[in-house]
Coordinates of all heavy atoms in Angstrom, one line a residue:
M921 N 0.9 -1.2 0.0 CA 0.0 0.0 0.0 C 0.8 1.2 -0.1 O 0.3 2.3 -0.3 CB -0.9 0.0 1.2 CG -1.9 -1.1 1.2 SD -3.0 -1.1 -0.1 CE -4.0 0.4 0.2
G922 N 2.1 1.1 0.4 CA 3.0 2.3 0.4 C 3.7 2.6 -0.7 O 4.7 3.4 -0.7
G923 N 3.6 1.9 -1.8 CA 4.3 2.1 -3.1 C 5.3 1.0 -3.3 O 5.3 0.0 -2.7
G924 N 6.3 1.3 -4.3 CA 7.2 0.3 -4.7 C 8.5 0.3 -3.9 O 9.2 -0.7 -4.0
H925 N 8.8 1.3 -3.1 CA 10.0 1.3 -2.3 C 9.9 0.7 -1.0 O 10.0 1.2 0.1 CB 10.5 2.9 -2.1 CG 10.8 3.5 -3.5 ND1 11.9 3.2 -4.3 CD2 10.0 4.3 -4.2 CE1 11.9 4.0 -5.4 NE2 10.7 4.6 -5.3
D926 N 9.6 -0.6 -1.0 CA 9.4 -1.3 0.2 C 10.6 -2.1 0.5 O 11.4 -2.7 -0.5 CB 8.2 -2.2 0.1 CG 7.9 -3.0 1.3 OD1 7.4 -2.3 2.2 OD2 8.1 -4.2 1.4
E927 N 11.0 -2.3 1.8 CA 12.1 -3.1 2.1 C 12.1 -4.5 1.6 O 13.0 -5.1 1.2 CB 12.3 -3.1 3.7 CG 13.3 -4.0 4.2 CD 14.7 -3.7 3.8 OE1 15.0 -2.5 3.3 OE2 15.7 -4.4 4.1
R928 N 10.8 -5.1 1.7 CA 10.8 -6.4 1.1 C 10.9 -6.6 -0.3 O 11.6 -7.5 -0.9 CB 9.3 -7.0 1.4 CG 9.1 -7.5 2.9 CD 7.7 -7.9 3.1 NE 7.5 -8.5 4.4 CZ 7.3 -7.7 5.4 NH1 7.1 -6.4 5.3 NH2 7.0 -8.2 6.8
E929 N 10.6 -5.6 -1.1 CA 10.8 -5.5 -2.5 C 12.3 -5.3 -2.8 O 12.8 -5.9 -3.8 CB 10.0 -4.4 -3.2 CG 8.4 -4.6 -3.1 CD 7.7 -3.6 -4.1 OE1 8.3 -2.8 -4.6 OE2 6.5 -3.7 -4.0
Q930 N 13.0 -4.5 -2.1 CA 14.5 -4.4 -2.2 C 15.1 -5.8 -2.0 O 16.1 -6.2 -2.8 CB 15.1 -3.4 -1.2 CG 14.6 -1.9 -1.6 CD 15.3 -1.0 -0.8 OE1 16.4 -1.1 -0.4 NE2 14.6 0.1 -0.4
T931 N 14.7 -6.5 -1.0 CA 15.2 -7.8 -0.7 C 14.9 -8.8 -1.8 O 15.8 -9.5 -2.3 CB 14.7 -8.4 0.6 OG1 14.9 -7.4 1.7 CG2 15.3 -9.7 1.0
L932 N 13.7 -8.7 -2.2 CA 13.4 -9.5 -3.5 C 14.1 -9.2 -4.7 O 14.6 -10.1 -5.4 CB 11.7 -9.4 -3.8 CG 11.3 -10.1 -4.9 CD1 11.5 -11.6 -5.0 CD2 9.7 -9.8 -5.2
N933 N 14.3 -8.0 -5.1 CA 15.2 -7.4 -6.1 C 16.6 -8.1 -6.1 O 17.2 -8.5 -7.1 CB 15.2 -6.0 -6.3 CG 13.9 -5.4 -6.6 OD1 13.0 -6.1 -7.2 ND2 13.6 -4.1 -6.4
Q934 N 17.1 -8.0 -4.8 CA 18.5 -8.6 -4.8 C 18.4 -10.0 -4.9 O 19.5 -10.6 -5.5 CB 19.0 -8.2 -3.4 CG 20.5 -8.6 -3.1 CD 21.4 -7.9 -4.1 OE1 21.2 -6.8 -4.3 NE2 22.4 -8.6 -4.7
M935 N 17.4 -10.7 -4.4 CA 17.3 -12.3 -4.7 C 17.2 -12.6 -6.1 O 17.9 -13.5 -6.6 CB 16.2 -12.7 -3.9 CG 16.1 -14.3 -3.8 SD 14.7 -14.9 -2.8 CE 15.1 -14.1 -1.2
L936 N 16.5 -11.8 -6.9 CA 16.3 -12.0 -8.3 C 17.6 -11.8 -9.0 O 18.0 -12.7 -9.9 CB 15.2 -11.1 -8.9 CG 13.8 -11.2 -8.4 CD1 12.9 -10.2 -8.9 CD2 13.3 -12.7 -8.8
V937 N 18.3 -10.9 -8.6 CA 19.7 -10.6 -9.2 C 20.7 -11.7 -8.9 O 21.4 -12.3 -9.8 CB 20.3 -9.3 -8.8 CG1 21.7 -9.1 -9.2 CG2 19.3 -8.1 -9.4
E938 N 20.7 -12.2 -7.7 CA 21.6 -13.2 -7.3 C 21.3 -14.5 -7.9 O 22.2 -15.3 -8.4 CB 21.6 -13.5 -5.8 CG 22.1 -12.2 -5.0 CD 23.6 -12.0 -5.2 OE1 24.3 -13.1 -5.6 OE2 24.0 -11.1 -4.8
M939 N 20.0 -14.9 -8.1 CA 19.6 -16.1 -8.7 C 19.9 -16.1 -10.2 O 20.2 -17.2 -10.8 CB 18.1 -16.4 -8.4 CG 17.8 -16.8 -7.0 SD 16.0 -17.3 -6.8 CE 16.1 -18.9 -7.7
D940 N 19.8 -15.0 -10.9 CA 20.0 -14.9 -12.3 C 21.4 -14.7 -12.6 O 21.8 -14.8 -13.7 CB 19.1 -13.7 -12.9 CG 18.9 -13.9 -14.3 OD1 18.9 -15.1 -14.7 OD2 18.6 -13.0 -15.0
G941 N 22.2 -14.4 -11.5 CA 23.6 -14.0 -11.8 C 24.6 -15.1 -11.6 O 25.8 -14.9 -11.5
F942 N 24.1 -16.3 -11.3 CA 24.9 -17.4 -11.0 C 25.8 -17.9 -12.3 O 25.4 -17.6 -13.4 CB 24.1 -18.7 -10.7 CG 23.5 -18.8 -9.3 CD1 22.7 -19.7 -9.0 CD2 24.0 -17.8 -8.3 CE1 22.2 -19.8 -7.7 CE2 23.6 -17.9 -7.1 CZ 22.7 -18.9 -6.7
D943 N 27.0 -18.3 -11.9 CA 27.9 -18.8 -12.9 C 27.1 -20.2 -13.4 O 26.7 -21.1 -12.6 CB 29.2 -19.3 -12.4 CG 30.1 -19.9 -13.3 OD1 29.7 -20.0 -14.5 OD2 31.3 -20.2 -13.0
P944 N 27.0 -20.3 -14.7 CA 26.2 -21.5 -15.2 C 26.9 -22.9 -14.7 O 26.3 -23.9 -14.6 CB 26.4 -21.4 -16.7 CG 26.6 -20.0 -16.9 CD 27.3 -19.4 -15.8
K945 N 28.2 -22.8 -14.5 CA 28.9 -24.0 -14.0 C 28.9 -24.1 -12.4 O 29.5 -25.1 -11.9 CB 30.4 -24.1 -14.5 CG 30.3 -24.2 -16.1 CD 31.7 -24.4 -16.5 CE 31.8 -24.4 -18.0 NZ 33.1 -24.7 -18.6
A946 N 28.5 -23.2 -11.8 CA 28.4 -23.2 -10.3 C 27.2 -24.0 -9.8 O 26.2 -23.8 -10.1 CB 28.3 -21.7 -9.8
S947 N 27.6 -24.9 -9.0 CA 26.7 -25.9 -8.5 C 26.1 -25.4 -7.2 O 26.3 -26.0 -6.1 CB 27.3 -27.3 -8.3 OG 27.8 -27.8 -9.5
V948 N 25.2 -24.4 -7.3 CA 24.5 -23.8 -6.2 C 23.1 -23.9 -6.5 O 22.6 -23.5 -7.5 CB 25.0 -22.4 -5.9 CG1 24.1 -21.9 -4.7 CG2 26.4 -22.4 -5.6
L949 N 22.1 -24.5 -5.6 CA 20.9 -24.8 -5.9 C 20.1 -24.1 -4.8 O 20.4 -24.2 -3.7 CB 20.6 -26.2 -6.0 CG 19.1 -26.8 -6.1 CD1 18.7 -26.4 -7.5 CD2 18.9 -28.2 -5.8
V950 N 19.0 -23.5 -5.2 CA 18.0 -22.9 -4.3 C 16.8 -23.6 -4.2 O 16.1 -23.9 -5.2 CB 17.7 -21.3 -4.7 CG1 16.8 -20.7 -3.7 CG2 19.0 -20.6 -4.9
I951 N 16.4 -24.0 -2.9 CA 15.1 -24.8 -2.8 C 14.3 -23.9 -1.9 O 14.8 -23.3 -0.8 CB 15.4 -26.1 -2.2 CG1 16.3 -27.0 -3.0 CG2 14.0 -26.8 -1.9 CD1 16.6 -28.4 -2.3
A952 N 13.1 -23.7 -2.3 CA 12.1 -22.7 -1.6 C 10.9 -23.5 -1.2 O 10.5 -24.4 -2.1 CB 11.9 -21.4 -2.4
A953 N 10.2 -23.2 -0.1 CA 9.0 -23.8 0.2 C 7.9 -22.7 0.5 O 8.3 -21.7 1.1 CB 9.1 -24.8 1.4
T954 N 6.7 -22.9 0.2 CA 5.6 -22.0 0.3 C 4.3 -22.6 0.3 O 4.2 -23.6 -0.3 CB 5.7 -20.8 -0.7 OG1 4.6 -19.9 -0.3 CG2 5.4 -21.4 -2.1
N955 N 3.3 -22.0 1.0 CA 2.0 -22.5 1.0 C 1.1 -21.7 0.1 O 0.0 -22.0 -0.3 CB 1.3 -22.4 2.4 CG 2.1 -23.2 3.5 OD1 2.7 -24.2 3.2 ND2 2.1 -22.7 4.7
R956 N 1.7 -20.6 -0.4 CA 0.8 -19.6 -1.3 C 1.7 -19.3 -2.5 O 2.2 -18.2 -2.6 CB 0.5 -18.4 -0.5 CG -0.3 -18.5 0.7 CD -1.7 -18.8 0.3 NE -2.3 -17.9 -0.6 CZ -2.7 -16.7 -0.3 NH1 -2.9 -16.4 1.0 NH2 -3.3 -15.9 -1.1
P957 N 1.8 -20.2 -3.5 CA 2.5 -19.9 -4.8 C 1.7 -18.8 -5.6 O 2.4 -18.2 -6.5 CB 2.6 -21.2 -5.4 CG 1.4 -22.1 -5.1 CD 1.2 -21.5 -3.5
D958 N 0.4 -18.7 -5.3 CA -0.3 -17.8 -6.2 C 0.1 -16.2 -5.9 O -0.3 -15.3 -6.6 CB -1.8 -17.9 -5.9 CG -2.1 -17.8 -4.4 OD1 -1.6 -18.5 -3.5 OD2 -3.1 -17.0 -4.0
I959 N 0.7 -15.9 -4.7 CA 1.1 -14.5 -4.4 C 2.5 -14.2 -4.6 O 3.0 -13.2 -4.3 CB 0.8 -14.3 -2.9 CG1 1.6 -15.1 -1.9 CG2 -0.7 -14.5 -2.6 CD1 1.4 -14.7 -0.5
L960 N 3.3 -15.2 -5.1 CA 4.7 -14.9 -5.5 C 4.8 -14.1 -6.7 O 4.0 -14.1 -7.7 CB 5.5 -16.4 -5.6 CG 5.5 -17.2 -4.4 CD1 6.3 -18.4 -4.7 CD2 6.2 -16.5 -3.2

């Protein structure tokens, strides 16, 4: 409700950058769990 400059959104943006910036040969896997995939 307060706009786009939310602390959670900054955290999410950084997570998106880190997951997309992996070295293709780096064997690092992210596993996530949620009860609400519809709100991701």
